[in-house]
């Protein structure tokens, strides 16, 4: 069964450092998403991406964050100047169609745990 | 986006049928109802989706009454491995739109 893969599974970084989280979506999918989940809290939407541009972003996704699909297979989330409160599990997801309504099932990766010290 | 309300937690025993009800009073005409499952330290996983009446797949059934203001996820004969958080989401198909997760229902299955 095709799956979304994420690397690294766990990253520890110092406050103020830049982090890049990588995702390989399912190959024929067109819509890509990043979510995050702070320990013990709910899954929060960060950004959706389609046709090489951001479709929608949440208030969490400020100038500190950026996304990119550099080579047609990887989908990356960059966090500049990390803060303690960025510590969370970051999930990448993809779908063949819009992730809504009667046609769009989101497939999530296993997540990348980010710990900011 | 329609707001959803579901129980914070539920307990069950192995072999029982579990029904988790979700209220979504403000559901719109184009909205679909989708349920996801999440195990600790894993990404959410799609369970089932429906628009009205009843939908069944190999793992669950989804019951949606005519007014669509609520829905019930039914898990037949649960096992210990069904212990997870279950999310009810209401959304409609739109280009690049986001999927918004609520707090979910923590289901604990005991032996």
């Amino acid at each position: 069964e095709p799956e979304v893969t994420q690397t690294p599974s766990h990253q520890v970084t110092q406050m103020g450092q830049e982090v890049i989280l990588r995702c390989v979506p399912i190959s024929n999918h067109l819509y890509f998403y990043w979510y995050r989940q702070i320990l013990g809290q709910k899954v929060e939407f960060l950004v959706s991406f389609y046709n090489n541009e951001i479709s929608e972003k949440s208030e969490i996704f400020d100038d500190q964050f950026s996304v990119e699909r550099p080579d047609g297979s990887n989908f990356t989330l960059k966090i500049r100047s990390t803060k303690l409160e960025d510590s969370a599990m970051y999930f990448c997801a993809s779908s063949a169609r819009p992730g809504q309504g009667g046609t769009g099932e989101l497939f999530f990766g296993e997540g990348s745990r980010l710990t900011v010290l | 986006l329609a707001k959803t309300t579901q129980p914070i937690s539920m307990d069950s025993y192995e072999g029982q049928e579990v029904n988790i009800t979700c209220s979504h009073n403000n559901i719109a005409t184009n909205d679909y109802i989708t349920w996801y499952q999440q195990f600790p330290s894993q990404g959410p996983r799609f369970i089932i989706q429906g628009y009205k009446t009843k939908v069944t797949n190999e793992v669950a059934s989804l019951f949606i009454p005519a007014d669509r203001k609520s829905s019930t996820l039914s898990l037949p004969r649960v096992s210990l491995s069904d212990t997870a958080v279950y999310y009810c989401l209401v959304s409609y198909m739109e280009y690049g739109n986001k999927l918004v997760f609520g707090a979910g229902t923590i289901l604990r299955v005991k032996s």
Side-chain angles (χ1 to χ4, degrees), chain A residues 35 37 48 50 56 100-101, chain B residues 38 49 92 95-96 98-99:
Chain A
Y35 284 78
Q37 186 173 33
S48 60
Y50 169 72
E56 189 168 355
Q100 296 292 71
Chain B
Q38 186 182 27
Q49 185 176 72
Y92 74 99
Y95 164 81
K98 61 182 179 285
L99 209 58

Side-chain angles (χ1 to χ4, degrees), chain B residues 57-74:
Chain B
N57 62 22
E58 62 275 9
V59 298
S61 295
L62 178 60
F63 299 91
I64 306 167
D67 66 6
R68 305 201 325 125
K69 292 184 183 299
S70 67
S71 59
T72 299
L73 174 72
S74 181

Side-chain angles (χ1 to χ4, degrees), chain A residues 27-107:
Chain A
S27 62
N28 63 344
H29 283 186
L30 302 176
Y31 301 85
F32 313 109
Y33 309 82
W34 283 101
Y35 284 78
R36 80 172 185 189
Q37 186 173 33
I38 296 170
L39 186 64
Q41 298 186 25
K42 64 182 182 182
V43 178
E44 299 175 293
F45 169 80
L46 292 179
V47 65
S48 60
F49 191 87
Y50 169 72
N51 199 26
N52 283 320
E53 61 182 27
I54 290 174
S55 304
E56 189 168 355
K57 59 183 180 180
S58 71
E59 60 275 8
I60 302 170
F61 194 89
D62 58 21
D63 291 344
Q64 182 194 7
F65 295 89
S66 62
V67 289
E68 193 178 33
R69 194 148 191 261
D71 56 12
S73 61
N74 291 286
F75 180 50
T76 62
L77 174 69
K78 182 188 290 185
I79 310 174
R80 288 180 282 273
S81 189
T82 50
K83 303 184 287 249
L84 296 177
E85 53 266 36
D86 294 328
S87 294
M89 183 77 92
Y90 288 81
F91 294 108
C92 174
S94 69
S95 70
R97 289 164 293 206
Q100 296 292 71
T103 59
E105 172 186 342
L106 258 63
F107 292 79

